[in-house]
Each structure stands twice: as structure tokens, then as C-alpha cells.
Amino acid sequence: MPDATKAPSSVPVGVDTTRASIARVYDAALNGKDNFEIDREVLRQVATVAPQVNDLAWSNRNFLIRACRFLAGQVGLTQYLDCGSGLPTAENTHQIVQRLQPSARVLYIDNDPVVLAHGRALLEENDQTLFLSADIFKPDEVLSLPQVREFLDFSQPIALIHNGTLHHYLGDDAPELMKTYVDALAPGSYSVIAHFYDPQTPEHSAIARAMEEKFTHSPMGSGVFRTYEQIRALFPGQELVEPGLVLCDDWWPDGPRVKPLNQVEECIAGGVGRKV
């Protein structure tokens, strides 16, 4: 993408091109075009300790696609609250679920100006999809927005999606944050979470912590690798759908594995929880 200083008219209002954005770093990792040099620099820094760092983003995105197909196709859910939606580099939630459930309503929450610019464009062509600006790490703020309650029916099951977001929340109270969201949902609702993972083996912990060090000290400033127990705690009061909390690539893969996972792919886990 051209340098923002050479094409200022292409930069959405409110975008600081001197600071990395979580959404734009993911976009760069997925070979998208909505990113700047500062975002690509984050990936270059992490690549010095984990050359396959882009695979984190692909494992994350492909897990989201499979989880959404399950929720729309098998469960039949028609309401989705996607927190930290990111940029439309690859298939996004509404595209996946509305293919299977044309009446599905998808509410995206994000506060990145680039994401919101794409969201406004999407609204012009899809009235079953809504973008709202809010801090996803402040669930009380999100849940109190009148548009949220108007667009989604909280007396009926909703799929809450935190895919690749919670590892950017550095506080120790992440389980409490998720509990606020889950408590607001009706029984039969689901949560989808993908999260940077420390498998707690000598070999994998070393690369997980090395990546964490680079992410948290990069221009992005976040990216914590939590253990199995820490990630499981993000599904408060929920039963995990089989096969449980596993590596993202091991959650109902599309076919037989013909090559082993690399070390980076073994450092991101995902799961789907159901509120009883």
C-alpha cells in the first residue's frame, strides 16, 4: 500500500498512521491492503523470533469460518455479536452465516477508524448487518448501547464472537469481562473465542513467550499468550462444544492433515462454548 504521507486522501479521518492498529496488523498478516508501514513493522519484529507469524492470523481466521458455519448450519443461529470484527481481507462473519441463514443479523463492534469506514460502506448494501463504534473491552458500554438492543433480541440465543481479540486485553480480569457479556445472553447462546496460546511445554512456551515479548513491545503494544486454564476461564458457565478448547487448526478441520502444524500454529487455540 502506498505510504500514507504520499496519498493522504486515501487515509480515513481519524487514522494515526504513526501507530500500529490491531485490525490493520491482522490485515497485513492476511495479505490485505488496508495497512500501513507501521503495521507491517509489527509483523517484521515478531518474525525475527517466529518467521511463520502470519500463520497465527490464518489459523485464527480459518477457525472463525468453521465455527460460523457450525453455528449457522448446525445450530441454526440467526443472531451474531462480533466484537472486534477486523477488516474484510477474507470472509467475514456476515458473509459466512448469511450464506447459510439469509435472515441472520450480524452486529459488528469495533472502534478502529479504518474498520468503521469499511463498515459504513457495507451498510449501504446489507441491511441485516450493523457496525457500531465502541470499546469491546468495556462490555457494559457495548451492552448499554440502544442500537445493540434494537438490532438484536437478547431474549433469544445470540452468538458472541471474540475471535483474536482477548489476547489484546492485558488485564487479569478477562474472565470477568467475558462473564458480563455471557450473563447478558439467553440460554442456548454460544461464545466463539480464538486466543494466543502457551502450551506450557519447554519448546512451545519459549516461542510463545518470545512472540509475546515482541508483540507487547512493538508499535501495537499487545498480544499476550495465555495458558489452557486461563483461556478456558474465558467461557464462564458454559459447556464447550466438542472437541473442546483445542488448537485452532484442530477444531473440526475441513479435511485430513497432510502436513504437520508448525510451532506458530501450535500457539493459538480456539473453542466454542454454549450457555446452558
Side-chain angles (χ1 to χ4, degrees):
M1 184 170 183
D3 189 299
T5 60
K6 297 179 181 177
S9 61
S10 68
V11 181
V13 175
V15 173
D16 183 354
T17 59
T18 67
R19 298 184 62 183
S21 148
I22 294 170
R24 297 195 316 259
V25 170
Y26 272 99
D27 178 75
L30 294 170
N31 302 317
K33 299 178 180 178
D34 293 296
N35 55 80
F36 303 110
E37 179 62 22
I38 192 71
D39 307 304
R40 298 187 288 273
E41 175 60 23
V42 173
L43 294 175
R44 284 195 292 268
Q45 289 185 24
V46 182
T48 62
V49 296
Q52 295 152 318
V53 60
N54 287 35
D55 289 340
L56 282 175
W58 283 111
S59 293
N60 176 81
R61 178 64 61 151
N62 290 331
F63 164 74
L64 171 68
I65 292 170
R66 297 194 303 275
C68 285
R69 285 206 308 256
F70 162 73
L71 292 173
Q74 297 294 321
V75 180
L77 286 187
T78 58
Q79 298 193 104
Y80 296 80
L81 177 57
D82 190 341
C83 297
S85 57
L87 290 157
T89 307
E91 280 204 304
N92 277 26
T93 300
H94 72 282
Q95 296 166 308
I96 304 162
V97 302
Q98 289 172 356
R99 189 176 299 122
L100 296 166
Q101 296 285 348
S103 65
R105 298 170 73 83
V106 180
L107 172 54
Y108 292 109
I109 305 289
D110 211 305
N111 59 0
D112 185 296
V114 176
V115 175
L116 295 172
H118 280 283
R120 284 190 292 271
L122 176 64
L123 286 177
E124 296 175 1
E125 61 186 49
N126 189 321
D127 60 7
Q128 295 294 110
T129 303
L130 179 64
F131 271 80
L132 294 177
S133 178
D135 185 343
I136 62 171
F137 298 142
K138 296 180 179 178
D140 288 326
E141 173 187 323
V142 172
L143 295 168
S144 67
L145 290 173
Q147 302 99 313
V148 171
R149 300 287 176 167
E150 292 165 4
F151 191 77
L152 299 177
D153 180 357
F154 277 74
S155 70
Q156 299 298 316
I158 293 172
L160 170 68
I161 299 173
H162 263 282
N163 211 63
T165 59
L166 292 167
H167 45 240
H168 296 296
Y169 183 75
L170 305 183
D172 294 330
D173 60 340
E176 288 74 21
L177 183 157
M178 280 301 296
K179 187 176 187 301
T180 301
Y181 275 116
V182 173
D183 284 351
L185 304 178
S189 295
Y190 288 77
S191 295
V192 177
I193 297 174
H195 197 294
F196 291 166
Y197 171 51
D198 177 0
Q200 292 187 292
T201 63
E203 181 180 19
H204 294 97
S205 284
I207 192 167
R209 295 307 169 188
M211 286 191 287
E212 179 179 88
E213 175 72 12
K214 291 295 184 179
F215 272 125
T216 56
H217 291 89
S218 74
M220 187 167 66
S222 61
V224 62
F225 286 69
R226 292 187 169 99
T227 65
Y228 177 94
E229 291 75 16
Q230 289 172 322
I231 301 173
R232 179 63 182 87
L234 302 176
F235 294 92
Q238 293 180 296
E239 295 178 348
L240 289 178
V241 174
E242 291 296 331
L245 177 60
V246 296
L247 298 181
C248 281
D249 289 287
D250 285 339
W251 200 90
W252 294 104
D254 288 327
R257 180 164 296 137
V258 296
K259 62 178 182 178
L261 298 179
N262 60 48
Q263 282 187 312
V264 168
E265 291 167 327
E266 292 179 336
C267 289
I268 184 165
V272 176
R274 180 179 184 272
K275 182 176 181 179
V276 180

